[in-house]
Amino acid sequence: TPTKTVAQTFALLFTVSIMLIFAINAHDIFTSFVKTTKLGNNYEEALRLDYFTNDDIPDDYETFTRLTANNKQINGTNDTFNFNLYGIESDSTLKVLLDNDVTQNLLLEDGIIISEYLRYNYDLKVGDTMSFSVKGTLYTYEIVGINNELIENNAFILKEELNNAYLLDDTYYNGIYTTDSTYQSDNILIRISYHEALDEIQNTLRTSINIVYFILSLSAFIGLFMFGFVITNYLSDNRKNIAILKSIGYNSKEINKKYILVIIITFVIAFIIAIPTTDLLFDLLLKNIINQLGYILILDITLVNIVISFLSFSF
């Protein structure tokens, strides 16, 4: 097979493979983002108050404390940044930090749980030690878990420990998780309906992602058309040689091995190389999204989607 044909075929197959892998794996990009971020947020509204209080609230509500923390060190090395620090109860059912499993909130008794957004921004991991200050009070915690939130630099510790920054006991709070939207108070600073906000984000960006899917599909179709054109010309150029081989007794299997096998091998190699290349492009896209939109999207290449991409391309 001419080197020019192999090179053209590889370039086309490599490009189309990236498009297919990207399109199939990114198909549910915003659905996955919303589903992941909603996980464990089992409340209707999160209310932030303009001061601390220990007033009674409905029995099915839960309270929290929210303050700004200034990080000083990571694993003993200076690393300064600000993040939102929440104090919640370890038995909270409206705010569940890991896998929507209430029992895993007990990890707060052993350390701090941070959001995926905070982990990504500052390259943190479970086992790292964070030292930070809140209103002049210094805290040092080991990271014991990564929460699935993808929008804010958040971290969570026990409410009673965070309230120490104001020398308050754990009955005080400046935030409320509600199970409905009926709570009224003159002290409400902001009220957030997390689920509605996420749905609005998804609806706003759905048009953009549909345009991306259309462009990818059109580009893949054009690439496949060009690939077919190259192969057709290649077989046409070798029609006389194929006819001669048939006339002297070569069967279809032997002819395919001589003229088609190299194309198949080229396709497999191009597809395999396209997988890590697409993963790299995903990482670059994530960084750009964080810079432009301010939150992380879920873009994982899964084995199932790779198989689907390969079979779609093969057929």
Side-chain angles (χ1 to χ4, degrees):
T1 306
T3 302
K4 179 182 178 181
T5 300
V6 174
Q8 289 177 330
T9 302
F10 177 85
L12 287 169
L13 291 174
F14 178 68
T15 304
V16 176
S17 294
I18 290 177
M19 292 175 181
L20 285 174
I21 294 172
F22 185 95
I24 291 178
N25 282 275
H27 185 265
D28 296 323
I29 179 174
F30 291 111
T31 302
S32 297
F33 165 77
V34 171
K35 182 179 179 181
T36 299
T37 309
K38 282 183 176 181
L39 188 66
N41 293 315
N42 304 319
Y43 51 84
E44 180 64 28
E45 288 186 331
L47 310 178
R48 288 174 52 196
L49 309 181
D50 56 6
Y51 63 86
F52 280 89
T53 181
N54 62 352
D55 292 342
D56 292 335
I57 58 173
D59 291 339
D60 56 342
Y61 288 10
E62 294 177 354
T63 62
F64 65 89
T65 299
R66 181 184 186 276
L67 298 171
T68 299
N70 177 247
N71 192 77
K72 302 296 185 182
Q73 293 182 334
I74 299 293
N75 297 329
T77 302
N78 293 339
D79 196 350
T80 303
F81 56 86
N82 293 332
F83 61 94
N84 304 316
L85 185 61
Y86 286 81
I88 67 172
E89 304 287 355
S90 61
D91 60 353
S92 173
T93 59
L94 298 183
K95 182 65 175 180
V96 184
L97 300 178
L98 301 172
D99 302 324
N100 208 19
D101 181 356
V102 175
T103 62
Q104 294 204 52
N105 277 7
L106 293 173
L107 286 173
L108 291 175
E109 298 178 2
D110 300 319
I112 188 171
I113 295 176
I114 66 173
S115 67
E116 171 63 21
Y117 190 84
L118 181 60
R119 181 209 67 77
Y120 185 91
N121 280 339
Y122 299 102
D123 194 26
L124 304 174
K125 62 183 181 298
V126 172
D128 285 348
T129 299
M130 299 178 64
S131 295
F132 53 86
S133 65
V134 180
K135 300 298 181 181
T137 302
L138 186 64
Y139 295 86
T140 298
Y141 284 94
E142 179 183 340
I143 299 174
V144 294
I146 308 296
N147 174 250
N148 50 271
E149 292 187 14
L150 305 171
I151 298 178
E152 294 183 283
N153 285 325
N154 293 338
F156 302 85
I157 62 174
L158 291 175
K159 187 174 69 170
E160 61 181 316
E161 295 177 2
L162 182 56
N163 283 5
N164 285 337
Y166 280 94
L167 302 179
L168 299 173
D169 61 44
D170 63 355
T171 63
Y172 283 84
Y173 58 89
N174 66 356
I176 305 172
Y177 293 124
T178 74
T179 54
D180 53 52
S181 56
T182 62
Y183 187 82
Q184 299 296 325
S185 172
D186 294 335
N187 304 323
I188 297 176
L189 184 64
I190 186 173
R191 58 197 315 154
I192 301 172
S193 178
Y194 209 62
H195 292 245
E196 288 184 7
L198 288 170
D199 289 338
E200 288 180 5
I201 290 175
Q202 183 180 25
N203 291 332
T204 300
L205 297 177
R206 182 175 285 118
T207 300
S208 298
I209 197 63
N210 285 338
I211 293 174
V212 172
Y213 291 153
F214 175 77
I215 293 174
L216 285 172
S217 299
L218 181 61
S219 300
F221 174 79
I222 293 174
L224 288 172
F225 175 80
M226 294 175 64
F227 168 64
F229 180 76
V230 170
I231 296 303
T232 300
N233 282 346
Y234 163 64
L235 294 176
S236 178
D237 292 342
N238 288 278
R239 181 173 52 187
K240 182 178 179 180
N241 295 335
I242 293 173
I244 293 173
L245 291 176
K246 283 185 176 181
S247 69
I248 62 175
Y250 278 71
N251 57 39
S252 297
K253 182 178 180 180
E254 292 171 324
I255 293 175
N256 288 337
K257 183 177 180 180
K258 184 175 180 60
Y259 286 97
I260 304 300
L261 182 61
V262 66
I263 302 299
I264 296 175
I265 294 175
T266 301
F267 162 60
V268 173
I269 293 175
F271 190 87
I272 292 174
I273 296 176
I275 295 173
T277 304
T278 308
D279 190 47
L280 176 61
L281 293 175
F282 275 176
D283 288 340
L284 294 175
L285 178 61
L286 280 176
K287 292 179 181 178
N288 185 63
I289 289 174
I290 291 175
N291 292 333
Q292 298 297 322
L293 301 181
Y295 49 80
I296 299 174
L297 296 180
I298 303 297
L299 283 173
D300 290 327
I301 298 179
T302 65
L303 179 60
V304 173
N305 286 336
I306 288 177
V307 173
I308 293 174
S309 303
F310 184 82
L311 294 178
S312 299
F313 204 172
S314 299
F315 290 111

